[in-house]
Amino acid sequence: MPVAKRIIPCLDVKNGETVKGTNFVNLRSAGDPVALGKAYSECGADELVFLDITASHEGRKTFTEMVTRVAQEINIPFTVGGGINQLEDVTRLLNAGADKVSINSAAIRNPQLINEITSQYGSQVCVCAIDARWDGEEWYCYLNGGRVKTEKKLFEWAKEVEERGAGEILFTSMNHDGTKNGYANDALALLSDSLCIPIIASGGAGKKEHFKDVFTKGKADAALAASVFHFGEIPVPELKAYLSQNGINVRI
């Protein structure tokens, strides 16, 4: 039996509340992250991701207190990201109850951080998030929540991330984020074919068919989404039933 595909609601947190935007801008509120997290845990989500979306940009640390509250309320694995720049940040968040950490900007600036986290805590703790945009010729990686373009190319950087020991890659297509037109399945399939570690797809979910496509065409191991879950457009149990009916192995 193949490993079950995972459904992962993502909660972008700003100033203590969940927000959601389109193409990384135009944010609107989606509620209390702890209450939302508990609801997802109870309705069958496989994992959760909490991202402090302004932490890297403003130089703040992720809300450790919120992580502690989340850990007390849910019984599924959850990943925390945003503003993680050194091993001490990882230790603090794991001690607060997080199962994994997601690093993005800090990993690009200091790739050795991936090695440090995995040697200290194991590969399973380190999720490397990659925000990339297709410019018509190439996928380029971005820093600080999509604000700063780098010279790093998606596939080269993803390979390096794997070699340095990261346990998973969370790939967000900035072109697709919030558009609800489907995931970047061609890029996802290339990533999946060229790497051995799991790929979490992010950016573009709008209807149930998009999740089916990301697992079949995109070959993703997990699908992450935000607004379609937060605003009740696609209930997680309904999505899982649909995927199961379409021959995709999910935990019901």
Side-chain angles (χ1 to χ4, degrees):
M1 192 72 170
V3 175
K5 303 293 189 180
R6 290 170 287 151
I7 300 297
I8 307 179
C10 178
L11 295 85
D12 292 339
V13 179
K14 182 180 182 183
N15 302 328
E17 66 175 7
T18 312
V19 295
K20 184 58 199 148
T22 303
N23 299 120
F24 283 54
V25 293
N26 302 322
L27 302 176
R28 59 175 171 151
S29 176
D32 172 52
V34 181
L36 263 177
K38 185 179 183 184
Y40 286 133
S41 176
E42 291 171 349
C43 79
D46 297 296
E47 296 183 21
L48 295 172
V49 172
F50 292 85
L51 297 177
D52 188 343
I53 60 169
T54 49
S56 298
H57 181 55
E58 296 170 8
R60 288 185 293 103
K61 301 301 182 189
T62 310
F63 292 122
T64 314
E65 182 190 26
M66 186 206 77
V67 173
T68 304
R69 287 167 53 217
V70 168
Q72 291 165 348
E73 294 287 348
I74 73 171
N75 57 9
I76 56 175
F78 73 101
T79 301
V80 178
I84 297 170
N85 297 307
Q86 51 198 4
L87 200 57
E88 291 76 25
D89 298 326
V90 177
T91 303
R92 177 167 49 82
L93 292 165
L94 293 177
N95 287 342
D99 297 280
K100 310 176 195 178
V101 295
S102 169
I103 54 173
N104 187 340
S105 301
I108 289 180
R109 292 195 182 101
N110 172 25
Q112 188 62 28
L113 181 60
I114 300 170
N115 303 67
E116 291 173 15
I117 294 170
T118 56
S119 60
Q120 179 81 20
Y121 292 111
S123 289
Q124 78 285 350
V125 159
C126 185
V127 179
C128 195
I130 303 177
D131 297 335
R133 184 188 291 280
W134 173 255
D135 69 358
E137 295 179 10
E138 187 65 71
W139 286 94
Y140 282 100
C141 301
Y142 280 69
L143 294 168
N144 291 18
R147 293 177 181 88
V148 182
K149 184 180 181 181
T150 73
E151 290 305 305
K152 282 198 186 289
K153 295 175 181 177
L154 169 62
F155 299 101
E156 292 169 9
W157 173 232
K159 192 72 187 162
E160 180 179 341
V161 162
E162 178 179 60
E163 288 167 354
R164 287 180 177 275
E168 293 181 286
I169 286 174
L170 166 54
F171 165 55
T172 301
S173 163
M174 293 172 60
N175 307 72
H176 295 71
D177 179 67
T179 63
K180 299 190 178 179
N181 292 324
Y183 291 91
N185 291 324
D186 292 346
L188 284 160
L190 283 170
L191 280 172
S192 185
D193 287 342
S194 60
L195 303 175
C196 298
I197 57 176
I199 308 295
I200 304 167
S202 168
K207 51 188 181 180
K208 287 178 280 192
E209 289 79 5
H210 294 154
F211 290 88
K212 181 183 70 164
D213 289 345
V214 82
F215 292 133
T216 54
K217 298 175 185 171
K219 304 182 183 180
D221 299 276
L224 177 143
S227 59
V228 291
F229 295 144
H230 302 339
F231 300 115
E233 294 159 39
I234 304 178
V236 172
E238 194 179 293
L239 172 61
K240 286 192 156 187
Y242 165 83
L243 291 171
S244 183
Q245 287 159 13
N246 280 273
I248 291 163
N249 181 26
V250 288
R251 294 185 193 89
I252 301 290

